[in-house]
């Protein structure tokens, strides 16, 4: 819109200081004539200005005015429309329940009314979900204001629930800020807050969670029922006082994650039960593992197991080496022996179940362990213990542990009968090979340089061994093979426990790099940790985890064939069935988004896994009430209004008005919506200027000379 404005200004032809000096000199020249005093015949003094003094003054004034150069100036202006900013909150709490519809309807009304106001441009900016940082309303507003000249800013209107987490201490805003909130004041919200939750727990020991049930916006006091569910087991219900800390004991029964879901009952009239649930994932770890290593007949690789287990900081190792068997009796007095007696009863009866793993390295049964103790070891394994045996020539013949009660739990047996010891011993060069089952088993899957059964021997990278024991595998999984396809390493589950049997004592050759060596340390570590039931080495398992809103379900199995369908249950009960995608190594994977907070469940028909999804924006769901206290100080400081839109389908949206600077920015009283003002700035751009001199030189010169001549003639009379 164009406007023309006229006015008078001055464009002096000489500097202002010189013009002021000239005016002062003219005044001094006039003072004697103005202050002239005359006396009459009686001697009385009277004031009588000199004749022609006023004409002289007019001449000086005309001269000064001519030098000041007065002009009649006419400007052509183009006014620029003011800009108002509409900030629309689209975070999780702002779109909760009916709020989304109210905010959307209010936005449409404001945009429609702004279009009817002259010289006003309305810009709309949406505040997206802010992730872990909550609602970043001011960050979005400041980005939008960076493109708006402050001289044209008419005001800011914010459609939000008031749950804003980036309110600056001193907002730099020189225009009215109006706050429009969905709903009505006085809302109530119940939430459960986790005060302390350990990330790890020792298997076999309970951990303690500390939680508080809070009723926000309600008087303190009362009680609430708390439902606690662990790994999908039947829930237990406890009554807890509202507003006071409550402690929950959670037993850690296995390694790996334990998922605990805690739910507070819904309070009547509360905004939402979205934050009535808390999910905690506790990773179960074993305390320092206690391992009993019994070394029998001395051999070149005797220290292999000891070095491996001593190098693990999580292992407490008890090691005995049998250097003096019972038949070696030379009547040497006991006080002269440097060796100690083998504490058979203490180890294999009194403290047997204190060990997590028992390792026999080339141990022969020469009467040192009576059958009752060997039966104790077998029962220990069936009850959940672990046994690992590395055998050599002693495994065949009458001293073999396979011929004792321990043989009932071994997954392979040596030949029996006449000449069995010679028939069981295989002494020839060979390269250990990973079987097809071993390629799927986590103990041998993906070992560096693995020689999976099938490729030509020329392609092998592992070093050769030279001795193995022939045995018939009768149970478990044969994961490695030796010469002529004989079992080399067999793993088996017995009752609740596990047994690993290595049918060679030449793995020590790898540690010395013989013939290229091999992954000796990694293989032995995996064997030991598999027997001790480390979760990451489970060969038949189903696991689920959630990372950044993404659910990954991994199924491991030794079974060949297509993977089964995975049934996934979301926290709200929604069931999804997806076919797992084979990924090699006995793994099949399902991936899908998991945005909703709570416990997700995955099942393959035999096993069930749980994963905890925390709230994607914990700050956003901490308080779900529409609340004005955070933004009211800014609205009051800038002269803006705070209005509630109500709970009706049609929100109570205030009228928009243009107001001048210095006037009230809002008006109206409850229960009506009233009105909110947008400042009229009258910002403009000058598009043209015309100037007309009022005392041009051709007029000023005769005027000054004429007045001077008249003054001279008048004074000369």
């Amino acid at each position: 819109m164009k406007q023309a404005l006229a006015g008078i200004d001055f464009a002096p032809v000489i500097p202002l200081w010189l013009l002021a000096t000239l005016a002062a000199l003219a005044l001094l020249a006039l003072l004697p004539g103005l202050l002239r005093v005359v006396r009459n015949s009686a001697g009385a003094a009277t004031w009588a200005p000199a004749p022609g003094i006023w004409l002289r003054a007019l001449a000086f004034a005309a001269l000064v005015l001519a030098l000041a150069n007065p002009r009649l100036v006419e400007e052509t202006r183009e006014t620029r429309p003011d800009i108002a900013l509409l900030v629309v909150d689209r975070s999780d709490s702002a779109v909760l329940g009916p709020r989304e519809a109210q905010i959307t309807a209010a936005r449409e009304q404001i945009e429609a009314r702004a279009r009817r106001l002259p010289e006003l441009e309305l810009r709309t900016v949406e505040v997206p979900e802010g992730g872990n940082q909550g609602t970043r309303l001011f960050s979005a507003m400041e980005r939008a204001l960076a493109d708006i000249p402050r001289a044209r800013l008419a005001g800011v209107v914010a459609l939000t629930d008031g749950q804003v987490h980036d309110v600056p201490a001193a907002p730099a805003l020189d225009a009215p800020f109006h706050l429009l909130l969905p709903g009505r004041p006085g809302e109530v919200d119940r939430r459960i807050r986790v005060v302390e939750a350990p990330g790890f727990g020792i298997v076999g020991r309970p951990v303690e969670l500390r939680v508080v049930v809070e009723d926000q916006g309600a008087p303190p006091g009362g009680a609430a029922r708390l439902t606690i569910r662990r790994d999908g087991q039947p829930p237990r219900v406890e009554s807890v006082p509202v507003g006071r800390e409550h402690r929950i004991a959670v037993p850690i029964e296995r390694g790996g994650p334990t998922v605990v879901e805690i739910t507070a009952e819904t309070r009547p009239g509360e905004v939402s039960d979205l934050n009535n649930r808390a999910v905690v994932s506790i990773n179960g770890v074993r305390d320092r593992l206690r391992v009993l290593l019994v070394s029998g007949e001395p051999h070149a690789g005797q220290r292999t197991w000891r070095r491996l287990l001593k190098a693990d900081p999580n292992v407490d190792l008890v090691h005995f080496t049998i250097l003096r068997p019972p038949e070696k009796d030379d009547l040497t007095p006991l006080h002269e022996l440097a060796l100690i007696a083998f504490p058979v009863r203490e180890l294999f009866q009194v403290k047997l179940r204190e060990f997590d793993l028992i390792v026999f390295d080339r141990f022969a049964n020469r009467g040192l362990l009576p059958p009752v103790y060997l039966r104790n070891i077998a029962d220990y394994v069936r009850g959940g213990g672990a046994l690992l045996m590395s055998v050599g020539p002693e495994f065949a013949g009458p001293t073999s542990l396979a011929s004792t009660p321990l043989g009932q739990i071994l997954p392979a047996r040596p030949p029996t009968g006449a000449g069995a010891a010679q028939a069981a011993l295989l002494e020839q060069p060979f390269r250990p090979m990973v079987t097809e089952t071993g390629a799927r088993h986590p103990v041998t899957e993906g070992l560096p340089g693995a020689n999976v059964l099938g490729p030509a021997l020329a392609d092998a990278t592992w070093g050769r061994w030279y001795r193995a024991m022939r045995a018939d595998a009768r149970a478990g999984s044969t994961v490695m093979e030796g010469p002529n396809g004989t079992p080399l390493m067999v793993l088996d589950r017995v009752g609740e426990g596990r047994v690993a049997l290595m049918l060679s004592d030449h793995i020590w050759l790898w540690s010395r790099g013989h013939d290229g060596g091999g992954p000796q340390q990694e293989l032995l570590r995996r064997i030991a940790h598999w027997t001790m039931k480390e979760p990451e080495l489970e060969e038949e398992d189903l696991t689920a985890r959630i990372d950044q809103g993404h659910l990954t379900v991994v199924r491991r199995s030794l079974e060949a064939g297509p993977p089964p369908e995975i049934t996934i249950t979301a926290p709200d009960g929604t069931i999804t069935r997806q076919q797992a995608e084979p990924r090699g190594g006995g793994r099949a994977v399902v991936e899908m988004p998991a945005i909703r907070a709570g416990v997700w469940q995955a099942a393959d028909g035999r096993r069930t896994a749980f994963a905890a999804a925390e709230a994607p924006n914990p700050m956003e769901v901490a308080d779900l009430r529409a609340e004005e206290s955070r933004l009211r100080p800014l609205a009051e400081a800038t002269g803006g209004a705070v209005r509630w839109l109500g709970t009706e389908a049609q929100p109570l949206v205030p009228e928009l008005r243009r107001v001048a600077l210095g006037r009230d920015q809002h008006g109206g009283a409850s229960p009506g919506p009233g009105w909110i003002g947008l400042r009229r700035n009258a910002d403009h751009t000058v598009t043209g200027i015309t100037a007309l001199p009022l005392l041009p030189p051709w007029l000023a010169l005769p005027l000054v000379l004429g007045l001077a001549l008249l003054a001279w003639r008048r004074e000369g009379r």
Side-chain angles (χ1 to χ4, degrees), residues 547-558:
D547 185 21
Q548 297 182 352
H550 197 77
L551 172 66
T552 302
V553 181
V554 180
R555 176 188 181 265
R556 294 203 68 149
S557 178
L558 300 181

Side-chain angles (χ1 to χ4, degrees), residues 559-605:
E559 299 176 359
E565 187 178 65
I566 304 297
T567 302
I568 299 173
T569 305
D572 60 355
T574 304
I575 297 177
T576 305
R577 293 179 174 85
Q578 293 196 19
Q579 188 68 35
E581 177 185 352
R583 294 288 178 86
R587 290 186 296 268
V589 179
V590 168
E591 297 178 329
M592 63 177 290
I595 300 176
R596 187 173 181 85
V599 176
W600 291 71
Q601 176 180 316
D604 63 355

